[in-house]
Amino acid sequence: MPAIGAVRQIALSAGRDLDATLAFWRDVLGMNLHARFDPPGIAFIMAGDVRLLFTDGIPAGTVYLDISGLDHFHAEAKAAGVPFTAPPTLMHNDTEGQFGPAGESEWMAFLKDPAGNTIGLVERHPPQDPH
């Protein structure tokens, strides 16, 4: 049986305007172009060790990205006119530590890029001091 490793690449739609999609990821999310090949009109952005492949002709996808300072990012991006489909919201109190340290809470906000991909921004917060 082969040993499956970590996620290497995720394909996301570039829509009909690769430049607009890449500009959104650069200007709004601060993620820079890693490589681009024309033709065939594909581009890559690195999210840690995972390649995000942008190409036309595939359905829009959903990707979740870690972020620190979610509330600050949301306030600044919203003030700049970036439309969010959902503001920062508590999604899970990880009391058992299933997804990270026990007691942390997981907050998420959602937005869409010009190609229709959904981007979930995820931040984990340490347990609140009950005192």
Side-chain angles (χ1 to χ4, degrees), residues 43-63:
F44 297 89
I45 291 174
M46 297 300 295
D49 292 333
V50 177
R51 292 187 301 239
L52 302 179
L53 161 67
F54 293 88
T55 186
D56 191 16
I58 63 170
T62 301
V63 64

Side-chain angles (χ1 to χ4, degrees), residues 7 9-10 12 21 24-26 28-32 45-54 61-71 73 84 91 106-113 117-124:
V7 173
Q9 180 169 294
I10 297 171
L12 297 170
T21 299
F24 178 90
W25 283 75
R26 179 194 64 225
V28 174
L29 301 174
M31 299 178 77
N32 293 315
I45 291 174
M46 297 300 295
D49 292 333
V50 177
R51 292 187 301 239
L52 302 179
L53 161 67
F54 293 88
T62 301
V63 64
Y64 293 79
L65 303 171
D66 285 332
I67 187 173
S68 59
L70 177 59
D71 288 331
F73 173 82
F84 281 77
M91 295 296 191
E106 195 161 278
W107 290 74
M108 295 183 191
F110 293 89
L111 61 158
K112 288 189 180 279
D113 71 9
N117 296 301
T118 299
I119 302 157
L121 300 174
V122 182
E123 182 174 43
R124 289 185 60 96

Side-chain angles (χ1 to χ4, degrees), residues 8-25:
R8 172 76 53 194
Q9 180 169 294
I10 297 171
L12 297 170
S13 176
R16 300 239 180 253
D17 189 345
L18 179 58
D19 290 328
T21 299
L22 294 175
F24 178 90
W25 283 75

